[in-house]
């Protein structure tokens, strides 16, 4: 009946899906994970460039082409995605978010020689090897974005559970490398926002409630002032750039293009913005060319893990 399908496709203005249809929260969870990986792959090309350098070297950066200081093949991802996948695997294997299991998963990830690794992540994983304690010492200096970039598995595993469960679960994964008040606040806010979007909540409400609370509790995160360009790996810079792009745009594509063209820690702002945008807009919103360009193995892992974590109901 091949030609029947053709006929329908030509005659009816019906959107053709390439895969099975999922319930909305699963569709959005898968889109969040693909968004994380796509933002990482897109942003890595311009990581550590300034917006001016991007303009001169590329123009508007809008294609997944690889390269950058890591000399990536097009479609490959970096630590933001691979640490998330390592954490997600540990949650699925252990049946819950467990600090020791997460630390062991990150340690195994580091031994496998990842393409990039943050200084705080490296230092505190080496400390874990020496002490066996999966919780890093609290430090006001460890306010990098390394824990915030990998929160998605926790958001998915704890979806539908009380906020308190989510916060405890986040502390378990985040404090392996980043035991810091600002990092914690950013991580929790991002997780709750992803869960809000999975539940279909409206962006205006989510901004007021979640981003508003973050800025109210920690005014340093205020993002309504100066345009944040060239954001560093400081979690405050990162979140400001992401929120400015995310809340000022209305499509997945516009959000990601806006945020990565700010340069700086662009793979990480791309990853976090992509996660939020995927959760907000769903699978159909992701440009085909980006889905095709993303490494096929990573794409499959992200989609499968999103479904498994949502089904796990751990926390
Ligand atoms: Mn990275
Ligand atoms: Mn980065």
């Amino acid at each position: 009946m091949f030609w029947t399908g053709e006929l329908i496709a030509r005659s009816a203005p019906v959107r053709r899906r390439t895969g099975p249809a999922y319930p909305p929260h699963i569709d959005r969870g898968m889109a969040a994970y693909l968004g994380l990986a796509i933002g990482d792959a897109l942003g890595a090309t311009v990581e550590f460039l300034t917006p001016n350098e991007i303009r001169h070297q590329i123009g508007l950066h809008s294609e997944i082409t690889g390269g950058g200081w890591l000399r990536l093949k097009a479609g490959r991802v970096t630590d933001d995605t691979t640490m998330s996948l390592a954490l997600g695997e540990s949650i699925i294997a252990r049946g819950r978010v467990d600090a020791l299991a997460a630390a062991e998963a990150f340690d195994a990830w580091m031994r496998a020689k990842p393409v990039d690794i943050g200084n705080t992540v490296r230092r505190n994983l080496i400390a874990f090897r020496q002490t066996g304690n999966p919780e890093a010492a609290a430090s006001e200096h460890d306010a990098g974005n390394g824990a915030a970039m990998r929160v998605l598995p926790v958001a998915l595993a704890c979806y539908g559970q009380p906020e308190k469960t989510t916060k405890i679960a986040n502390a378990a994964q985040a404090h392996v490398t980043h035991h810091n008040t600002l990092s914690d606040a950013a991580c929790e806010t991002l997780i709750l926002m992803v869960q809000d979007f999975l539940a279909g909540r409206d962006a205006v409400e989510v901004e007021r409630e979640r981003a508003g609370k973050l800025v109210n509790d920690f005014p340093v995160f205020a993002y309504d002032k100066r345009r944040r360009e060239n954001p560093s790996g400081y979690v405050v810079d990162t979140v400001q750039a992401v929120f400015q792009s995310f809340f000022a745009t209305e499509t997945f594509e516009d959000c990601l293009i806006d945020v990565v063209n700010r340069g700086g820690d662009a793979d990480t702002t791309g990853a976090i913005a992509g996660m939020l945008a995927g959760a907000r807009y769903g699978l159909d919103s992701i440009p085909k060319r980006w889905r095709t360009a993303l490494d096929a193995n990573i794409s499959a892992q992200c989609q499968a893990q999103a479904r498994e974590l949502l089904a796990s109901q751990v926390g």
Side-chain angles (χ1 to χ4, degrees):
M1 299 299 283
F2 170 75
W3 57 269
T4 307
E6 285 279 286
L7 193 66
I8 289 167
R10 280 185 197 151
S11 59
V14 175
R15 196 98 144 276
R16 293 180 72 193
R17 286 184 158 274
T18 47
Y22 294 99
H25 72 290
I26 296 180
D27 179 293
R28 295 194 183 105
M30 290 167 67
Y33 227 135
L34 284 173
L36 176 84
I38 285 169
D40 184 4
L42 181 71
T45 307
V46 293
E47 189 183 20
F48 301 136
L49 297 183
T50 65
N52 257 328
E53 288 169 336
I54 296 170
R55 266 193 292 276
H56 284 118
Q57 293 178 22
I58 302 174
L60 182 71
H61 178 54
S62 61
E63 303 304 322
I64 295 177
T65 54
W69 73 281
L70 294 170
R71 299 175 186 277
L72 290 181
K73 283 192 182 142
R76 290 289 171 84
V77 294
T78 75
D79 57 349
D80 311 72
T81 305
T82 54
M83 281 197 98
S84 297
L85 287 168
L87 173 62
E89 268 176 40
S90 88
I91 296 171
I92 291 163
R94 192 59 58 102
R96 64 195 180 94
V97 184
D98 177 79
L100 186 60
E104 284 167 350
F106 296 150
D107 190 21
W109 167 85
M110 184 163 74
R111 281 183 205 284
K113 302 214 183 313
V115 291
D116 61 339
I117 179 167
N119 293 330
T120 308
V121 168
R122 185 198 305 274
R123 172 165 41 80
N124 284 322
L125 287 179
I126 288 171
F128 165 67
R129 280 182 192 172
Q130 289 160 352
T131 64
N133 179 357
E135 184 176 58
S139 166
E140 61 174 306
H141 302 293
D142 290 352
N145 56 24
M149 74 188 188
R150 59 172 197 246
V151 295
L152 181 56
V154 175
L156 298 173
C158 296
Y159 178 64
Q161 302 202 26
E163 279 187 27
K164 199 174 157 225
T165 309
T166 291
K167 286 181 183 175
I168 292 168
N170 178 63
Q173 80 82 11
H175 294 181
V176 174
T177 57
H178 293 67
H179 193 166
N180 176 277
T181 311
L182 293 175
S183 168
D184 284 351
C187 287
E188 288 166 11
T189 301
L190 291 169
I191 289 171
L192 294 173
M193 286 173 66
V194 167
Q195 293 177 339
D196 285 344
F197 289 122
L198 259 53
R201 290 189 67 194
D202 174 72
V204 174
E205 237 178 78
V206 172
E207 179 173 26
R208 192 172 51 228
E209 188 171 324
R210 305 300 188 188
K213 183 178 191 310
L214 177 67
V215 172
N216 191 57
D217 292 351
F218 300 93
V220 67
F221 282 100
Y223 58 95
D224 59 346
K225 309 255 161 34
R226 189 166 63 84
R227 181 179 161 85
R228 174 62 68 193
E229 295 205 317
N230 205 20
S232 72
Y234 177 40
V235 71
V236 173
D237 275 17
T238 302
V239 165
Q240 286 173 328
V242 167
F243 282 1
Q244 284 178 2
S245 292
F246 179 71
F247 289 117
T249 52
E250 283 173 359
T251 68
F252 180 94
E253 183 174 12
D254 287 351
C255 172
L256 259 65
I257 290 176
D258 182 275
V259 87
V260 300
N261 281 279
R262 292 165 185 252
D265 196 354
D267 61 329
T268 304
T269 58
I272 296 174
M275 166 182 80
L276 292 176
R280 177 177 174 185
Y281 302 114
L283 283 174
D284 278 347
S285 72
I286 304 177
K288 281 263 152 51
R289 70 183 198 283
W290 286 351
R291 273 192 71 164
T292 311
L294 180 64
D295 182 274
N297 182 32
I298 290 290
S299 172
Q301 284 184 59
C302 290
Q303 293 177 70
Q305 212 183 75
R307 290 193 299 266
E308 278 185 73
L309 287 165
L310 279 169
S312 69
Q313 287 295 300
V314 295

